[in-house]
Structures are given as C-alpha cells and as structure tokens.
Amino acid sequence: MKKRGERMLTMVSSPSARQKWIMTLVFVILAMAPLYLSDFRLSLLGKFLAFVILALGLDLLWGYGGILSLGQGVFFGLGAYGMAMYLKLEASGGKLPDFMSWSGLTELPWFWLPFQNFLLAVVLAVLGPAVIAALLGYLTFRNRIRGVYFTILTQAMVIVCVTLFIGQQAYTGGTNGMTGFSTILGFPLASPRTQVMIYYIVLICFVLSFLLCYRLVHSRYGKVLIAIRDSENRLRYSGYNPAVLKTFVFALSAALAGLAGMLFVLQERYISPTSMGIIPSIEMALWVALGGRGTLYGAVLGTLFTNSAKTFFSERFPDLWLFFLGGLFIVVVLYLPGGLMSLYQKVSERWGKKHVTQHSPSVSESHR
C-alpha cells in the first residue's frame, strides 16, 4: 500500500504530469471565459489565442528546429488577407469592393474569384502561406543557407511583401488595408453572440494546434528536429536530408501563422500591411523567447503574458506603457534567460526536492 502511494505521488509531482494538469485547468478556464468576461475582454482574449497559434508554429521552427524566422508576420498577413477578401466580397453584396472602384477597376481581378467561396477562402488562407514557405524553404535549405543568413532572408521577404501590398492599392487596399466587414455566412460580425461563437472556434483551433504540435514534438520527427538544431551536419552524415525536414517544419509554421491571421481578422475586423511588417514579426519572436523557446508551454505562456502586459500597461499608463513593457523584457532577459518557463522549472525542482525530502524514509526506518 505504501509503495502504491509513493508511485501515485511520483506521477502527480513529476513535471510533465503537473504541466498537463495545469494546461487542462487553463483549457477549462478559457472555455468558461464568456461567462465572466465582457465582450471587449473576450475579443481581446480571442486575439491573444490566435497569436498563441502562431507562436506554437514559431516555437516548432525556432525552439525545436533552431531556425529563426523573422518573417512570420508575412504568413500571418497572408492568412488574414485571405479571410478579409472573402468578408469584403460578402459585405459588397456581389459588387466590386469600394477601394477597387475608387482605383478605377471595373471588374473583379481573377485571383479574387476563389475567395467568393467561404471554404475555398479558408483553405487558401492556410495552405497559401504553407506553399509559399515550402517553396522558399526548399530553395533556401537545399543550398544550405542557415543561421543569421536565413533570418536576414526572411526579413527581406517582409520588406518585399509589405512594399507590394502597399503599392498595389487597387487590389489590396494599400496602406488603408481592408475594413468594413459586416457579416460572415450571413451572421452579423458585430453581434455579441457571433463573437462568442468565433471565440469558441478560436479556442478549438488553439487546442487542436497545441495537440498537433505536442504530438509532433514527442514523435520521432520531433527528435530528428532537435537533432537538426543541435548538430545538422552529424544528422546529414547519418543519412537524413535536413533540407526536406526543415522545409516541412517551415511550411507547418507558416500554415499555423496563416490560420492565426485568419482567426485574427474575424475578431479585429481589419487588416493592413502594418500587421505583416518587420516590427510585428520581431515581436512574435519575442513572445516565444519570453516564454521559453523549446517548450510548447512556454510559447503559450509567453504570448498570453506579453500581450496581457501590453494591454494592462497601455490602459493604465497611456504615455509610458512602452517603457514599462521594455523594462519587462530587460528584466526577463537579464534574470530569466531561459524565459518564464525556466522560473517554473526552478520552482518545480525546488518543490519536488523539498517534497521528496519530507516523504523519504529515514536511514533507521529503511533498515527496519
């Protein structure tokens, strides 16, 4: 009986078991959010969860694969624009969108036609960024471009895409972006009931994305991904093709970013090229770094913590919130270089040692 109790104590107090219990509790709290949050706070939480989906993909790419991309904002923006195009066409009632009429267009461009269908718009918003990332990634990784050179390449991609979207005002809305969305599948977007339904859709996508990433990380591919991060050349000598493996995770992270952008625009009801610029892309990497890269729980924690702190400081200190947020980043980098998850691990280890010491039998008892 005593041995059985000790086994149960070990299972409950192990770090992985505690993390699963904590995540289960988080899911329950998030599922009950519409009961205790206002419409505005619920919309904010929904956008934060959309950001978490993007952070999970970036953590796979950077934390586990060692591939730092500062161009995730592009894939996020492409997914957002994909859904925005559908919403804009639905709001126009079959007519030409207003910004196209102002620019002198008389008919809908050919690449806008698939976005008249909701399901096609969803598929293209997710698969479009994945295909672009796969093409770019394979050409890059096949030529063994990695490290800081790959990071610079992704930043160049951001500059090119933002310039393109701003310059093609007749097709993208230019610097003004797209707005004026009123309905989705006939349901009013401004309705609190519609927003609650969208929140639950975002929550389901978040849970499925987390489970997908968790399963992937704990599979054989996850171990190979870590091997790429730690010693790519040694993995290549073992018979693997790192270019294909890295291309897959880059495409997957882009698909998750596109999904996040699509869910974001359903709640924000606005998208512009500024959302896919260099600054948002760097901020996305900060979410993962602050939480602790190489841990999916860290990506979730870092994204929610950073965006909540940003909202808190901006509401209470409108003129100084950037200084507070910057100070927060400095404190975490100096004292928690492993991110917020390193603090959790330290507390867990100390608590575990203390708990084991209290429950371990004495020497005299062990000889009885």
Side-chain angles (χ1 to χ4, degrees), residues 100-365:
M100 290 187 180
S101 301
W102 299 337
S103 300
L105 295 183
T106 56
E107 60 180 9
L108 198 65
W110 62 269
F111 57 87
W112 271 71
L113 296 177
F115 294 94
Q116 294 176 323
N117 183 278
F118 175 75
L119 291 179
L120 273 178
V122 171
V123 171
L124 291 174
V126 177
L127 292 186
V131 171
I132 294 174
L135 292 174
L136 177 64
Y138 184 73
L139 293 175
T140 303
F141 300 136
R142 187 183 64 175
N143 293 304
R144 301 190 183 182
I145 299 175
R146 57 183 180 178
V148 66
Y149 301 103
F150 177 79
T151 304
I152 293 174
L153 181 63
T154 57
Q155 282 197 314
M157 176 184 66
V158 172
I159 296 174
V160 170
C161 290
V162 170
T163 304
L164 179 65
F165 272 69
I166 292 176
Q168 299 298 319
Q169 183 172 349
Y171 305 106
T172 64
T175 55
N176 296 323
M178 295 188 194
T179 187
F181 313 135
S182 55
T183 61
I184 176 171
L185 297 174
F187 297 98
L189 276 173
S191 169
R193 181 175 298 179
T194 304
Q195 285 300 310
V196 169
M197 292 303 299
I198 291 175
Y199 170 78
Y200 278 116
I201 292 173
V202 175
L203 181 60
I204 292 172
C205 291
F206 161 55
V207 173
L208 293 178
S209 299
F210 183 87
L211 292 177
L212 171 64
C213 294
Y214 185 87
R215 182 69 179 270
L216 196 64
V217 165
H218 291 83
S219 67
R220 182 179 179 182
Y221 177 77
K223 295 181 176 63
V224 174
L225 197 61
I226 295 174
I228 293 176
R229 179 193 66 189
D230 295 340
S231 182
E232 182 177 339
N233 289 331
R234 187 173 181 179
L235 186 71
R236 183 180 291 108
Y237 296 147
S238 300
Y240 289 90
N241 186 355
V244 176
L245 300 171
K246 291 164 71 174
T247 299
F248 173 77
V249 71
F250 188 35
L252 179 60
S253 69
L256 291 176
L259 174 63
M262 181 183 67
L263 297 173
F264 170 81
V265 83
L266 288 175
Q267 300 169 96
E268 186 69 10
R269 302 197 291 276
Y270 170 75
I271 187 63
S272 72
T274 56
S275 299
M276 55 195 302
I278 291 179
I279 294 178
S281 297
I282 295 175
E283 190 176 358
M284 294 166 187
L286 287 175
W287 299 339
V288 178
L290 189 67
R293 67 188 185 98
T295 60
L296 296 178
Y297 302 101
V300 176
L301 178 62
T303 306
L304 294 178
F305 178 79
T306 304
N307 286 281
S308 299
K310 184 177 179 180
T311 301
F312 175 82
F313 290 134
S314 62
E315 288 179 348
R316 284 161 178 76
F317 310 99
D319 299 326
L320 302 173
W321 69 274
L322 282 174
F323 294 98
F324 285 106
L325 192 62
L328 181 64
F329 285 138
I330 293 173
V331 169
V332 172
V333 170
L334 289 179
Y335 298 100
L336 292 173
L340 295 174
M341 281 301 295
S342 64
L343 177 62
Y344 166 80
Q345 291 169 356
K346 290 178 182 178
V347 173
S348 298
E349 290 174 0
R350 182 171 298 181
W351 183 86
K353 291 179 181 178
K354 181 179 179 181
H355 205 73
V356 170
T357 303
Q358 290 177 350
H359 290 80
S360 60
S362 63
V363 177
S364 58
E365 291 176 346

